[in-house]
Amino acid sequence: MASSVPTKPPTAADVATLAGVSKATATRALGGYGRINEETKRRVLAAANQLGYHPNAAAQTMNTGRSGSLGIVARGITNPVWPVAFQGMVDAARLQGLAVLFAGSGFEVSEERKAIRLLLGKQVDGLIVSAADRRDVEHLQRITAVGTPLVLWERRVPGLDAPVIEADMRQASSELTRRLLDLGHRRIGFVSSLAMPQAAYSIGAELPASIIQDKVEGLFTPFSEAGIAPPVDLVRFPERDRDAIAAAYHSLLDGPNPPTALIASDSQIAETMLDVVRSRGLRIPGEVSLAMYDDLSWARLVDPPLTVIAQPDYDMGKCAAELAMNPAGASTLPSFSARLILRGSVGRAQD
Amino acid sequence: MASSVPTKPPTAADVATLAGVSKATATRALGGYGRINEETKRRVLAAANQLGYHPNAAAQTMNTGRSGSLGIVARGITNPVWPVAFQGMVDAARLQGLAVLFAGSGFEVSEERKAIRLLLGKQVDGLIVSAADRRDVEHLQRITAVGTPLVLWERRVPGLDAPVIEADMRQASSELTRRLLDLGHRRIGFVSSLAMPQAAYSIGAELPASIIQDKVEGLFTPFSEAGIAPPVDLVRFPERDRDAIAAAYHSLLDGPNPPTALIASDSQIAETMLDVVRSRGLRIPGEVSLAMYDDLSWARLVDPPLTVIAQPDYDMGKCAAELAMNPAGASTLPSFSARLILRGSVGRAQD
DNA sequence: CTGAAAGCGCTTACAG
DNA sequence: CTGAAAGCGCTTACAG
């Protein structure tokens, strides 16, 4: 055991003394920079090893301005696809020897501001931000102003000169409704938690999250193309909690002209959607067809298996990290495409 | 737009000059320490605000030895319960104004060693480690040796004087098999990915992960109590991949005296278990009863809903972080209990 | 209450 | 190739 008194860790000066060289020479050997004699280097490294030396990153950061860490600010992490994207970021960071500094914003701009201040103070070498609100961006501009590379995650922010990593939601969404139209569906409901319970959606309306806007507009495009009025009255943006989401689905199904197909903006909403549909005893897809965004493994495990729109989360996460660590590296921003995966939960409309 | 040339951010010295005070006075006002005149403080803060001053955390760290960050080293993060625990840690850290420094080990001790070195170099104020292997601990001892508070996540490591945050798996596990015994089950199979495909399990065997050992031994206790030989031949420790897990379940079901109940050590294993059972056309629970560890939301959504053993991941994560940030704070280590949730996937044994 | 100065542990020109 | 010295941006005794 012998945890004893925590002894002060050895510094480069200690190593230098033991090796009988100057501090400058020691750190040159240790850091692998500058010119240095091979034999001297060996001696220094031996001394470092003997003492169990490890450089103090804070001191290095102060000199170089680089912290050796990648900052990530996320709105929420309980969405089960997040770990996959996060894993991509972490892996990319590890390959460059960087650690990941994480701070959550909990969907609040005020928290996001604090988180960014915190990470910027820690001199992160790059920052990935999943912005809470596209309309509030001053604090984001500060990031690029101080010269820290910024990458936006899945949400475009107008007026901000930063690359956005996102999958193209429009095309896959259109593909889904085109398929539903073919199957005779005209009344298609869409629910996303944007915490705007009152809002009546109208086409082209500016939504706080670009990705949601892309989804809705992508879903409605085939209607317009086919000369059919899109069911804008079946769009709901409830609060983030289960009850509110359930209420939204019930209100859709209780309406005068209820939907024959329901789409959930993410898997957490889909769970509630399934609960509601089952609690009402509706047959799937006999009485109502279902689909959700994000291809979680359980989508295959429920009965019938759920139709989903998938995106390459891991690759996107990796790409975001690489771009944040090395902004000059990519001349053109890679594009990621979402993909419709049809499963048993989608079928012909009733009647 | 106007990203222009990234101007060097203002320092405390700049603020001091603008406010017409010394550097020491300025930092005292800014940092809120030491004695200081209210009016002077106001002037300094105004100057700081005007310049957009933010302290350089690296410099602060060098002086104080505290980095204002909590380190977390995890074996893997793709287990879907991880975000919940992580959220607890992040929330606790945020309450103390700390950021979270994350590094993954990918289940490799060598990577774990690197990750710990990286985070220790960054002077984390506390460290939570989900150890990859209980038998390899020197690098963990170094953590406490340098005086950094260490908290172990869900895995006890012998010879290490550090608190362990874990739920008691034995009791809930025993409760599960007791129930299964009542229902007439004698042949109960258990699969966990420990990457020891050859190993034949025997009671009391030292496993690389304490939590798995607790689960198995907890499951088998009621057998011994009832004077029934535990089905040690139905324990499998395949590699972490889907195919290996599927092969393990097939091998159990193909055996001469196959199990009537199957238990998965986590939800990812359970997905494959479900696939295998369904692909073989076995009725649940008519021909085989199923259960898994971790109460993921989809467990309720499959048909029949899965019996699970749940643990308070969020609270455990929060507690781990609090303990790592303030080791003196808790006089006694809180205990967390796992809980059996019986659902339709468990029924009477056939015959 | 305030200031001058030393120091935290490195890196980086600048001489030699 | 190596060393002495200054400096990164703070904090912290020590005087006053």
Side-chain angles (χ1 to χ4, degrees):
Chain A
M1 323 271 118
S3 184
S4 71
V5 194
T7 60
K8 211 151 160 295
T11 69
D14 297 329
V15 174
T17 304
L18 179 60
V21 299
S22 76
K23 225 173 51 181
T25 300
T27 53
R28 273 193 281 256
L30 261 13
Y33 48 80
R35 313 235 114 267
I36 189 149
N37 181 287
E38 269 307 316
E39 161 55 19
T40 312
K41 183 169 181 179
R42 221 183 318 275
R43 227 172 49 243
V44 172
L45 293 184
N49 198 45
Q50 183 183 332
L51 293 175
Y53 170 78
H54 294 280
N56 180 320
Q60 295 184 132
T61 299
M62 232 184 38
N63 281 285
T64 61
R66 311 205 79 221
S67 68
S69 56
L70 170 69
I72 300 178
V73 175
R75 302 171 320 123
I77 58 177
T78 55
N79 186 322
V81 295
W82 169 251
V84 183
F86 189 57
Q87 182 75 260
M89 298 177 191
V90 169
D91 286 351
R94 182 172 47 180
L95 284 177
Q96 312 260 329
L98 300 210
V100 162
L101 248 179
F102 180 87
S105 73
F107 299 91
E108 302 284 347
V109 179
S110 62
E111 285 296 323
E112 177 177 298
R113 205 174 281 122
K114 275 193 226 165
I116 288 172
R117 199 176 308 146
L118 187 65
L119 299 197
L120 239 33
K122 294 188 188 304
Q123 320 297 113
V124 289
D125 301 329
L127 203 42
I128 301 174
V129 176
S130 163
D133 195 320
R134 76 202 291 179
R135 295 161 302 193
D136 208 333
V137 299
E138 281 168 76
H139 56 299
L140 297 174
Q141 279 159 340
R142 212 195 117 217
I143 300 172
T144 48
V146 301
T148 303
L150 168 65
V151 173
L152 294 174
W153 178 254
E154 284 197 336
R155 273 155 174 81
R156 300 186 296 277
V157 175
L160 208 66
D161 184 26
V164 184
I165 297 299
E166 60 181 343
D168 174 18
M169 283 300 162
R170 291 184 181 260
Q171 206 160 313
S173 300
S174 295
E175 209 180 322
L176 171 58
T177 38
R178 211 165 281 132
R179 177 71 184 157
L180 287 168
L181 286 171
D182 284 350
L183 290 167
H185 296 275
R186 293 294 179 272
R187 302 289 293 162
I188 300 175
F190 175 79
V191 174
S192 180
S193 3
L194 280 179
M196 301 163 51
Q198 327 298 352
Y201 177 76
S202 63
I203 292 217
E206 179 95 340
L207 300 180
S210 62
I211 188 172
I212 309 296
Q213 189 155 351
D214 290 350
K215 289 178 182 175
V216 186
E217 294 182 2
L219 289 170
F220 283 167
T221 300
F223 280 88
S224 310
E225 285 171 355
I228 305 172
V232 289
D233 59 312
L234 297 181
V235 174
R236 292 289 187 282
F237 299 128
E239 301 282 341
R240 193 160 298 288
D241 61 285
R242 263 195 122 73
D243 289 348
I245 295 167
Y249 277 110
H250 279 299
S251 93
L252 287 177
L253 293 166
D254 287 334
N257 190 0
T260 58
L262 292 174
I263 299 173
S265 185
D266 65 46
S267 72
Q268 288 172 299
I269 296 173
E271 289 172 14
T272 304
M273 171 176 80
L274 257 180
D275 279 342
V276 168
V277 165
R278 289 179 176 172
S279 74
R280 298 174 72 111
L282 296 171
R283 278 173 296 110
I284 311 166
E287 293 172 293
V288 62
S289 286
L290 300 180
M292 74 174 182
Y293 287 84
D294 294 336
D295 186 24
L296 291 175
S297 49
W298 63 259
R300 293 183 312 103
L301 298 177
V302 296
D303 184 32
L306 274 183
T307 288
V308 301
I309 288 177
Q311 65 175 33
D313 297 286
Y314 181 85
D315 292 341
M316 288 168 64
K318 200 164 172 194
C319 176
E322 283 162 355
L323 214 54
M325 296 185 294
N326 183 16
S331 42
T332 60
L333 196 60
S335 75
F336 298 92
S337 54
R339 183 168 114 260
L340 174 65
I341 302 175
L342 281 167
R343 300 204 184 98
S345 68
V346 162
R348 183 155 290 286
Q350 220 175 6
D351 286 6
Chain B
M1 325 284 113
S3 182
S4 73
V5 195
T7 60
K8 209 149 161 298
T11 69
D14 297 330
V15 175
T17 305
L18 179 60
V21 299
S22 76
K23 227 173 51 182
T25 301
T27 52
R28 273 193 280 255
L30 262 12
Y33 48 81
R35 312 235 115 267
I36 188 149
N37 180 289
E38 268 308 315
E39 162 55 19
T40 311
K41 182 169 182 181
R42 222 185 316 277
R43 228 171 50 242
V44 171
L45 294 184
N49 199 45
Q50 183 181 332
L51 292 175
Y53 170 78
H54 295 280
N56 180 320
Q60 296 184 132
T61 299
M62 233 185 36
N63 281 285
T64 60
R66 309 204 84 222
S67 68
S69 56
L70 170 69
I72 300 178
V73 175
R75 302 173 318 125
I77 59 177
T78 56
N79 186 322
V81 295
W82 170 249
V84 182
F86 190 57
Q87 182 75 261
M89 299 176 191
V90 169
D91 287 350
R94 183 173 47 181
L95 284 178
Q96 312 259 330
L98 300 211
V100 163
L101 249 180
F102 180 87
S105 72
F107 300 91
E108 302 284 348
V109 179
S110 61
E111 285 297 324
E112 178 177 297
R113 205 173 281 125
K114 276 193 225 167
I116 288 173
R117 200 176 307 147
L118 187 64
L119 299 196
L120 239 34
K122 293 188 188 307
Q123 321 297 114
V124 289
D125 301 329
L127 203 41
I128 301 174
V129 176
S130 163
D133 195 321
R134 77 202 291 179
R135 294 161 302 193
D136 207 333
V137 298
E138 281 170 76
H139 56 298
L140 297 174
Q141 280 160 339
R142 212 195 116 216
I143 300 172
T144 48
V146 301
T148 303
L150 168 65
V151 172
L152 294 174
W153 179 254
E154 285 198 336
R155 272 155 175 80
R156 300 186 295 279
V157 175
L160 208 65
D161 183 25
V164 184
I165 297 298
E166 60 180 344
D168 174 18
M169 283 300 160
R170 290 181 182 263
Q171 207 160 313
S173 300
S174 295
E175 209 180 319
L176 171 57
T177 38
R178 212 165 279 132
R179 178 71 184 156
L180 287 169
L181 286 171
D182 284 349
L183 290 167
H185 295 275
R186 293 295 178 271
R187 301 290 293 162
I188 299 175
F190 175 79
V191 174
S192 181
S193 3
L194 280 180
M196 300 163 50
Q198 326 299 353
Y201 178 77
S202 63
I203 291 214
E206 179 95 342
L207 299 180
S210 63
I211 189 173
I212 308 297
Q213 187 155 353
D214 290 350
K215 289 178 182 175
V216 186
E217 294 181 4
L219 290 171
F220 283 165
T221 300
F223 280 89
S224 310
E225 286 171 356
I228 305 173
V232 289
D233 58 313
L234 298 180
V235 175
R236 292 288 187 282
F237 300 127
E239 301 283 341
R240 192 160 299 288
D241 61 286
R242 262 195 123 74
D243 288 349
I245 296 167
Y249 278 111
H250 279 298
S251 92
L252 288 177
L253 294 166
D254 286 334
N257 190 1
T260 59
L262 292 174
I263 299 173
S265 184
D266 65 46
S267 71
Q268 288 172 300
I269 296 173
E271 289 172 14
T272 303
M273 171 176 80
L274 257 180
D275 279 342
V276 168
V277 166
R278 289 179 176 174
S279 74
R280 297 174 72 112
L282 296 171
R283 277 174 296 110
I284 310 166
E287 292 173 293
V288 62
S289 287
L290 300 182
M292 74 172 181
Y293 287 83
D294 294 335
D295 186 25
L296 291 174
S297 48
W298 64 258
R300 292 182 312 103
L301 298 177
V302 295
D303 182 32
L306 274 183
T307 288
V308 301
I309 288 177
Q311 65 175 34
D313 297 286
Y314 181 86
D315 292 341
M316 288 168 63
K318 201 166 172 189
C319 175
E322 282 162 356
L323 214 55
M325 296 186 295
N326 183 16
S331 43
T332 59
L333 196 60
S335 75
F336 298 92
S337 54
R339 183 169 115 260
L340 174 66
I341 302 175
L342 281 168
R343 300 206 184 97
S345 67
V346 162
R348 183 155 291 285
Q350 222 175 3
D351 286 6

